[in-house]
Amino acid sequence: MFDLFQKNFVYQPLNTATGEIRLIRVLPRLKRGHIQCQLEHFQFDHAPPYIALSYTWNDPIPNSEAGHSGAKLIHANKTSLRIGNNLVSALQHLRRNQPLDYVWADAICINQSNLLERGQQVLRMARIYGAAQKTIVWLGPEDRDSNLAIDLMRFLAEKVIEAQSEVDRVSLFRKYLTDKAHAKAWKALDCLLKRTWWTRMWIVQEMAVSRNIGLPCGDSLISWNETTSSLYSILYAYNSVQSILESRDILLDYSPLDNVFCIVKIQDSLLSGGSLLLERCLSQLDGFVASDDRDYIYAILALASDASTLVPHPDYSMTTYDMYNTLVRSYIEKHKSLDIIYLRLRLDAPSPLPSWVPDWALPGNGAFWKDSLLVNHTEEEGLVQCAAALTVPFVSYSPDLKVLTCRGFSIDAVDGCSLTGLEASYGQGLILQPIYRNCAYASSEEAFSAIWRTLVRDLIVYKDRLMKSPEICGWLFAKACRKYDSRFGNIGNEQSEESGDILDNSGFSKWYTKTKDFAICGRTLQDWVNDDREDRHVSSEAEVEMSHSFNRYWSSSRVDERLITTEKGYVDMAPYWAQRGDKVCILLGSSLPVLLRPVDDHYILVGPCYIHGIMFGEAMNLLDKGEVELEDFAVH
């Protein structure tokens, strides 16, 4: 796409020895309707104050009838340069509204046709945005009542400050969602969040390092702090108000909300002096897209502390296949870990890559890692899962680098498979009841604990901190299931609007009512939740806050994962394409157990799984006792 944007203009090479960059000086008057500008070179450390521009290269408004895509000519250094319409409108906005003379925009300031320069400047972009006097996010022209959306975000940001707890926050959004005076603004916000900027991969770096950020949309303006405060609060209450949104035909996309949340946490980590590993960054960013598949990696290199040893510099002469493959092998070698091989799960999607090389260009599910970066936790708190204990990988590669042979052992196989939340919501799929009635747990209480803990991988995010799920969550889970039993029978399509309900949305009620007959350890899920249990006496506020925290964490995985059982009677949470016969394996150097699918004389990586009872090295005892033997798995 880059060759379409430059015509007749000849770039003067940058002096890399002195760290030169180019800056745009937009001239005050238009000539025959065109933007006039000068492109000037400066040593980076002596550059004048400038604005860094964040924008989308293509049409910022999906399905727009106004025609914001395409390209236009501008006059630069007395010659012609073709750039995208959206960049033209951004420059016109800056010329009218910003006092600074100089602007940095990648489509103009980087010679996109020079692959060497492009790679060099991409690596410097974090410094360029970090040194800018201001970063302007051009969301695009006013369209579909976007001014009302901006006003609503500012209003919510102000009101959120008044909320003292999660209960107040949820009540706040219920109040304004049900207020007819705000109905048009909520629909406008829905449209605004569908603009392409919110999912652009490069904004992660641009926002994370920028110091002063403004987001104009047409003539409306909102600050980054107001944006993050309002959208994060919506995300926080999302599941509790989802049924209200749907009843008003407001289908707020979850991805932009989650994307902003991820950016803020990366930003907070950088400001606190913390180090970010490339693996942790990649695990968070499955909601973003890039026009060049290599940019899923290159766009965040400057943020990761270990990036220089894994990908020394962006190289646009390298194919995507070779770059992804090289990254995985470099990671395994440097970190002595296999964890990178299951960062992007996509077995059911076509890809030229081997199953052990994540294809970051495909939509994927990183739910198993989703909270690893978002909260602070330490090994002393017992939250760092390490199924293979402190082992290191024992691997080799085929000459064509298509086969990874890794050492480990098989401990079990998939037996029964329940429905995913998505299947239950749309009435799709069939439960595959287990053949075996075994139970790997010592008592019924341990078995029930394994069931509800597995649904959230024994973790919840409570008051912005990752923690082990307390026992009250099991009681709340059973309480909610019994409520849906008595209220909905086998229908499961009613909706609850009581803020105190755990998993308070139609998705959970449908999942439970369609999954309650699934057999686990010889009994149905319905039998397990209806056992007599001692009542818990907790304050209503504590119950609501803990319920909401459990809800958020369960909802992050329910769409793409399914509850399964194994032949030996373990309870497991696995990717939705898991099937009977997949082997449960412990690979040396892997933090999580994995599912491998036998295919002829080799295996395909299905993905990681959570198996309650073997997440902290317990399965290694089987190896020590001689009950299992090490073997080599050839993974294609």
Side-chain angles (χ1 to χ4, degrees), residues 320-321 346 349-355 357 359 362 402:
T320 302
Y321 183 103
R346 42 81 189 171
S351 172
L353 293 162
S355 66
V357 178
D359 192 340
L362 292 176
K402 293 183 178 180

Side-chain angles (χ1 to χ4, degrees), residues 382-389 458 468 591 610 613-619:
L383 301 181
V384 180
Q385 295 160 351
C386 193
D458 203 15
K468 183 179 175 68
S591 294
Y610 176 93
I614 65 169
M615 298 306 297
F616 296 95
E618 297 92 337

Side-chain angles (χ1 to χ4, degrees), residues 36 106 130 135 173 228 244 248 255 305 342 358 395 503 508 528 565 569 598:
Q36 288 191 104
D106 59 349
T135 294
F173 284 99
T228 57
I244 304 177
R248 286 156 177 75
S255 289
S305 58
Y342 40 72
V395 301
L503 306 168
F508 176 72
W528 284 110
T565 60

